[in-house]
Amino acid sequence: MLTQKPKGTNDLFPPEVFLWEEIERKFREVCRRFGYQEIRTPIFEHTELFERGVGETTDIVEKEMYTFLDKAGRSITLRPEGTAAVIRAYVEAKKYADPGPAKYFYIGPMFRYDKPQAGRLRQFHQLGVEILGSDEPMVDAEVILMALEFYREIGLNDVELRLNSVGCPECRKSLREKLIEYFEERKDELCDLCKARLNRNPLRILDCKNESCQKIAQNAPTPLSELCPDCREHFTEVRKYLDLAQVKYVIDPFLVRGLDYYTKTAFEFVVPEIGAQSSIGGGGRYNGLIREIGGPDQPGIGFALGEERTILALKRKSEEIFVPVPDLFVCLLGEEAREYGFPLINELRRLNLWVETDYQGKSLKAQLKAANRLKAKAALIIGEEELKSGRFILRDLETGEQVELSRDELIKKYAKERGKDNA
Ligand SMILES: [Zn+2]
Ligand SMILES: [Zn+2]
């Protein structure tokens, strides 16, 4: 066990990790454009937060949480999702008193004790946003558009948007009764899980993956068919804004999402070719949640995108990963060269260059071999001769061309190139 990672976790090595960096960089970039700022909350919270903020009848809270007692006997849980903690922080710091809406994004690991499979780990990673303090349909449409802009930015142009409205507590009251009545008559054909759900959370039966349950659900009343006038109007407006931005979507009346706190707009992003786990992200509106967590009666909406699944979807298109390479490999031959080269390398690195060197006093041949193995763009050779003459050989490792330069000329050359890069 000593040299084995826990089940459902992953180690990330280069070059894979470059892909993660790139995706996170682009996510930050899109967030900036839409005016969202980063929030960082703890990895663990009081268990009660998730019981209240995710919902006690959800799979997450019932089966999947990493919960333990700390040394003082408090019940602590590793966060299974991002929204509850963001709202807890928002309420605790009384940010709701600021002129809103508040727009946050987060990136980080989440934890669920789930059956590990492709793209689903026990420690997994999410990119998420929350916008708190507005019920405007334009906000819903913008949040969805933002996720799609991110997907477009990383090269996922074929993400399908599934859209639904799950209504408000008002319209769900009558829906709940109708659902219980409908499924009660067909109880024998439901899976055991749904039989148990029937009276506590009948809505969840609509998105049960069991074949028999799905068949029965086909003709069941849905949130969409039972919307109150206010929710219906809201949904029409959301669709209007999506249409204005030419966003395509599929209405999915069975999309209810796993979490209890969703109201009105619910959505999911799907990439068909990655198998059973085709959903790569999703979100929705949660107008009752801020109050549930002890804040004022403010509305909110957000999404969370699975980083592992996004990467699975990307790899289905191309296995190639952009791998950065050193700008320069400095070959140091002899102790004197090392003493001369050590501060020079630092000066070059200050120009924002990736500079590699040899630490072991290898032969020139071995150092050049190392430079080639790293795919360094160029090699600089510093030996006895070069120290005496003050002229150094800079070899372009792609073309094989080489030039002789003084130390000053070398620094100037790279400073000029970097200047162009930054322009
Ligand atoms: Zn309603
Ligand atoms: Zn079922």
Side-chain angles (χ1 to χ4, degrees):
M1 296 301 268
L2 186 61
T3 56
Q4 209 170 34
K5 58 182 175 288
K7 193 174 172 185
T9 64
N10 209 1
D11 297 312
L12 273 180
F13 286 94
E16 173 99 4
V17 78
F18 295 125
L19 188 56
W20 285 68
E21 269 186 8
E22 185 66 1
I23 281 172
E24 289 166 14
R25 193 183 62 75
K26 286 191 169 148
F27 183 71
R28 286 173 188 281
E29 174 64 33
V30 171
C31 286
R32 188 187 61 80
R33 285 188 225 155
F34 281 78
Y36 285 69
Q37 286 168 350
E38 185 169 9
I39 183 169
R40 299 190 186 192
T41 64
I43 297 287
F44 59 86
E45 295 276 352
H46 294 295
T47 302
E48 190 194 355
L49 174 67
F50 302 115
E51 287 169 352
R52 288 287 281 280
V54 179
E56 282 180 288
T57 64
T58 56
D59 286 351
I60 294 177
V61 172
E62 282 184 343
K63 300 184 289 201
E64 296 171 359
M65 293 207 301
Y66 277 92
T67 298
F68 56 94
L69 295 179
D70 71 6
K71 290 187 196 302
R74 302 178 192 94
S75 182
I76 295 292
T77 294
L78 301 184
R79 62 182 186 192
E81 56 94 55
T83 304
V86 169
I87 293 176
R88 194 268 310 137
Y90 174 79
V91 171
E92 186 173 347
K94 298 190 170 63
K95 295 286 184 194
Y96 50 75
D98 297 344
K103 304 200 269 189
Y104 301 111
F105 78 85
Y106 60 85
I107 299 174
M110 309 290 162
F111 305 85
R112 289 183 202 174
Y113 194 81
D114 202 350
K115 209 171 131 201
Q117 46 188 298
R120 178 178 278 189
L121 292 169
R122 289 181 175 172
Q123 177 178 328
F124 60 102
H125 300 78
Q126 286 187 334
L127 311 161
V129 309
E130 316 292 348
I131 169 165
L132 311 174
S134 174
D135 190 41
E136 286 301 318
M138 187 173 138
V139 165
D140 301 46
E142 194 186 76
V143 162
I144 291 168
L145 185 64
M146 183 178 171
L148 290 171
E149 281 298 302
F150 164 69
Y151 286 134
R152 191 182 58 84
E153 201 68 46
I154 60 169
L156 281 181
N157 300 308
D158 56 347
V159 174
E160 183 182 298
L161 166 61
R162 302 248 169 101
L163 187 66
N164 193 20
S165 174
V166 296
C168 66
E170 208 45 54
C171 39
R172 241 185 274 169
K173 235 183 268 163
S174 70
L175 172 68
R176 198 187 133 83
E177 278 160 31
K178 284 183 188 170
L179 280 173
I180 293 174
E181 193 184 326
Y182 177 86
F183 286 119
E184 195 69 58
E185 283 170 25
R186 297 155 181 87
K187 196 174 174 179
D188 295 342
E189 295 156 72
L190 292 175
C191 73
D192 288 344
L193 190 60
C194 286
K195 274 186 195 132
R197 277 169 177 161
L198 183 50
N199 283 297
R200 283 184 308 150
N201 196 352
L203 197 61
R204 292 297 314 279
I205 303 178
L206 293 179
D207 74 346
C208 180
K209 299 287 172 266
N210 181 288
E211 219 175 293
S212 171
C213 298
Q214 283 189 346
K215 220 162 120 196
I216 301 167
Q218 282 297 315
N219 298 310
T222 65
L224 199 57
S225 64
E226 304 298 319
L227 291 183
C228 69
D230 178 47
C231 289
R232 189 171 300 279
E233 162 77 12
H234 191 273
F235 194 48
T236 305
E237 287 285 300
V238 172
R239 293 176 59 177
K240 182 185 87 183
Y241 282 104
L242 289 175
D243 291 340
L244 285 170
Q246 294 179 312
V247 172
K248 292 195 189 73
Y249 52 82
V250 175
I251 300 287
D252 180 355
F254 297 100
L255 172 66
V256 297
R257 309 273 307 154
L259 310 178
D260 278 354
Y261 52 63
Y262 283 100
T263 56
K264 295 183 180 171
T265 313
F267 54 91
E268 220 163 65
F269 303 105
V270 169
V271 178
E273 296 106 291
I274 60 167
Q277 299 301 324
S278 59
S279 165
I280 59 171
R285 184 165 273 292
Y286 43 76
N287 285 356
L289 187 60
I290 298 175
R291 195 182 45 193
E292 186 66 34
I293 293 178
D297 192 6
Q298 275 188 355
I301 181 170
F303 64 67
L305 314 179
E307 214 167 348
E308 279 83 358
R309 294 197 199 170
T310 301
I311 282 167
L312 262 188
L314 268 178
K315 282 190 174 167
R316 152 200 71 128
K317 302 193 135 191
S318 159
E319 281 289 335
E320 228 169 280
I321 296 174
F322 167 74
V323 180
V325 296
D327 297 292
L328 185 62
F329 191 105
V330 178
C331 302
L332 301 172
L333 305 166
E335 187 52 31
E336 231 181 299
R338 285 161 75 109
E339 288 171 9
Y340 182 87
F342 189 72
L344 172 63
I345 287 170
N346 197 45
E347 201 175 333
L348 288 163
R349 284 177 177 153
R350 278 193 188 154
L351 295 174
N352 203 22
L353 296 171
W354 175 3
V355 186
E356 284 290 346
T357 190
D358 169 72
Y359 304 103
Q360 291 155 295
K362 285 186 192 151
S363 69
L364 176 61
K365 198 179 155 199
Q367 293 194 34
L368 285 172
K369 209 171 149 188
N372 278 313
R373 189 172 46 77
L374 289 166
K375 298 193 169 72
K377 291 177 196 157
L380 181 75
I381 298 162
I382 305 179
E384 256 175 64
E385 288 289 307
E386 287 79 8
L387 286 177
K388 240 180 265 164
S389 66
R391 310 284 297 171
F392 305 96
I393 295 171
L394 180 67
R395 183 185 296 173
D396 186 316
L397 293 177
E398 280 155 36
T399 63
E401 276 170 46
Q402 52 184 46
V403 286
E404 265 190 33
L405 298 165
S406 70
R407 184 192 163 113
D408 280 356
E409 286 165 347
L410 178 78
I411 298 285
K412 260 189 212 142
K413 171 190 149 62
Y414 276 114
K416 204 173 144 201
E417 273 179 26
R418 285 290 120 170
K420 251 187 266 163
D421 281 5
N422 297 335

